[in-house]
Amino acid sequence: MTKMTVMAVPEKGGPLTAETRDLPDPGRNEVRIKIQACGVCHSDAATVLGLFPDITYPRVPGHEVVGVIDALGPDVQGWTVGMRVGVGWFPGACEYCDNCRRGHSFACKNVTGATGVSRDGGYATHMLARTSAVARLPYALDAVESAPLLCAGITTFNALRNSGATPGDLVAVHGVGGLGHLGIQYAAKMGFRTVAVNRGRDKEALARSLGAHDYIDSDANDAGQALMDLGGAKAIIATVTNAQAMEAISGGLGINGVMMVIGAVGALTVDSLTLLRKRASVKGWYSGIGSDSEDALAFSEQHNIRSMNEIYPLAQAQDAFNRMLSGKARFRVVLKV
Ligand SMILES: [Zn+2]
Ligand SMILES: [Zn+2]
């Protein structure tokens, strides 16, 4: 086979359009991946709708990629054809800049941007990826089931394990959606006293079935006060896409509590008195690098954590994207290739 199919964004705004391209050869320190599944993430709107500046079109979105290595570039070591792998938002790193050398390769100065934004991603039959971006996938994990773990999964998993909370601490997962339904499972399995917070009661039974020990309806209650009534949160994982909702729950931070912000919501207002009285903080969290994805995938396999997905064929990528954007999907949308 010498050709591949991609669903590309021809110009800002779309629509996602099928293109046949020559199968590319991987460059130095790159592998080519034969894709099995790719999740459709809210951040793909950056590419499809042109929300980020400086995107070169046509561009193939997709950063929740699962597949098998089918070709190696020159000088590639440690990876072999046939390995099951995943690629997330992290586009890889140079491994020689100052940030990389100090262990902060997520903030590499030379390899910037993101998979499916600054380079072609996984809405395709094949893609190229830097080896530094690639994660090994446990063989037991199903491709479609695990694709969303490469972004929604790793982001919540990594924020939780870096929040400073320890087993038994009260942790709130704010928002029971694509990210939150995974965050609840991770938090419960990590041993936190897990509180799900969402508007209304519709998702309470589901949240409890995923492991939440408590549930707060943020329409009927002041979510911050309700968390304080439970003792105050050591960590709040903010998965909502609304800055006001984050502001409202920040009052629920306990002593040394941390609100982990994992989604871009623009300007965020937090009461300084709330922070200083409790030595609380608000912290941004970049999802993670390839090895973080590997940890998230291994943990998901060990603890049987899965994403709940709606599945579309690759050719219907635009429908899949629209469904994701509607906010009505339960809970992630995945392209099966
Ligand atoms: Zn994403
Ligand atoms: Zn670097």
Side-chain angles (χ1 to χ4, degrees):
M1 196 169 60
T2 58
K3 300 284 182 186
M4 66 175 185
T5 302
V6 302
M7 296 301 293
V9 185
E11 56 187 4
K12 178 176 173 170
L16 286 153
T17 307
E19 267 184 40
T20 302
R21 295 182 182 174
D22 290 336
L23 208 51
D25 291 323
R28 271 190 80 233
N29 299 318
E30 281 187 339
V31 295
R32 189 175 65 213
I33 299 169
K34 188 172 189 302
I35 297 169
Q36 297 170 325
C38 183
V40 177
C41 178
H42 197 270
S43 303
D44 294 339
T47 301
V48 179
L49 305 180
L51 305 182
F52 284 8
D54 307 326
I55 296 178
T56 308
Y57 292 99
R59 176 63 74 219
V60 181
H63 58 271
E64 293 184 341
V65 188
V66 171
V68 175
I69 294 178
D70 86 333
L72 304 176
D75 304 327
V76 167
Q77 291 183 307
W79 302 89
T80 54
V81 169
M83 267 184 176
R84 289 194 86 202
V85 292
V87 184
W89 180 254
F90 176 62
C94 74
E95 294 172 348
Y96 59 80
C97 76
D98 208 40
N99 286 346
C100 283
R101 287 171 49 241
R102 290 170 194 277
H104 310 304
S105 59
F106 77 91
C108 177
K109 292 175 176 177
N110 293 315
V111 182
T112 55
T115 307
V117 179
S118 56
R119 57 184 291 142
D120 285 342
Y123 289 18
T125 57
H126 298 76
M127 69 178 278
L128 300 178
R130 283 190 183 80
T131 52
S132 52
V134 171
R136 287 175 181 80
L137 195 78
Y139 278 82
L141 285 182
D142 173 76
V144 170
E145 277 188 336
S146 49
L149 302 178
L150 271 302
C151 180
I154 178 195
T155 302
T156 48
F157 171 86
N158 218 18
L160 281 162
R161 70 173 180 168
N162 286 284
S163 67
T166 53
D169 282 342
L170 188 80
V171 170
V173 177
H174 187 200
V176 183
L179 290 156
H181 89 290
L182 289 165
I184 291 167
Q185 297 179 67
Y186 288 126
K189 290 286 166 57
M190 286 178 186
F192 303 132
R193 182 178 169 197
T194 303
V195 185
V197 183
N198 203 71
R199 302 182 63 186
R201 292 269 167 201
D202 290 357
K203 292 182 182 168
E204 178 173 3
L206 174 80
R208 289 185 185 277
S209 75
L210 295 173
H213 306 105
D214 290 287
Y215 182 91
I216 294 169
D217 170 3
S218 57
D219 276 343
N221 301 279
D222 174 338
Q225 185 57 50
L227 279 177
M228 290 312 293
D229 291 344
L230 293 171
K234 188 66 195 291
I236 298 172
I237 307 299
T239 76
V240 292
T241 53
N242 176 312
Q244 283 84 38
M246 286 191 197
E247 180 182 346
I249 203 173
S250 60
L253 287 169
I255 304 298
N256 291 325
V258 180
M259 181 152 78
M260 301 292 273
V261 178
I262 57 179
V265 294
L268 178 62
T269 308
V270 180
D271 177 36
S272 51
L273 189 60
T274 296
L275 298 184
L276 70 88
R277 275 193 317 178
K278 304 178 190 174
R279 295 182 177 165
S281 53
V282 176
K283 180 169 181 158
W285 190 261
Y286 180 98
S287 60
I289 62 173
S291 57
D292 294 316
S293 290
E294 257 170 52
D295 293 349
L297 291 160
F299 189 90
S300 304
E301 187 200 1
Q302 283 157 15
H303 296 282
N304 200 29
I305 291 169
R306 296 291 185 274
S307 172
M308 296 164 68
N309 303 321
E310 296 182 5
I311 300 165
Y312 286 75
L314 177 62
Q316 288 175 24
Q318 184 66 49
D319 293 340
F321 177 80
N322 293 343
R323 177 68 177 164
M324 176 283 299
L325 212 56
S326 76
K328 293 183 180 135
R330 291 288 175 273
F331 282 93
R332 298 296 281 186
V333 175
V334 179
L335 297 173
K336 188 172 181 177
V337 180

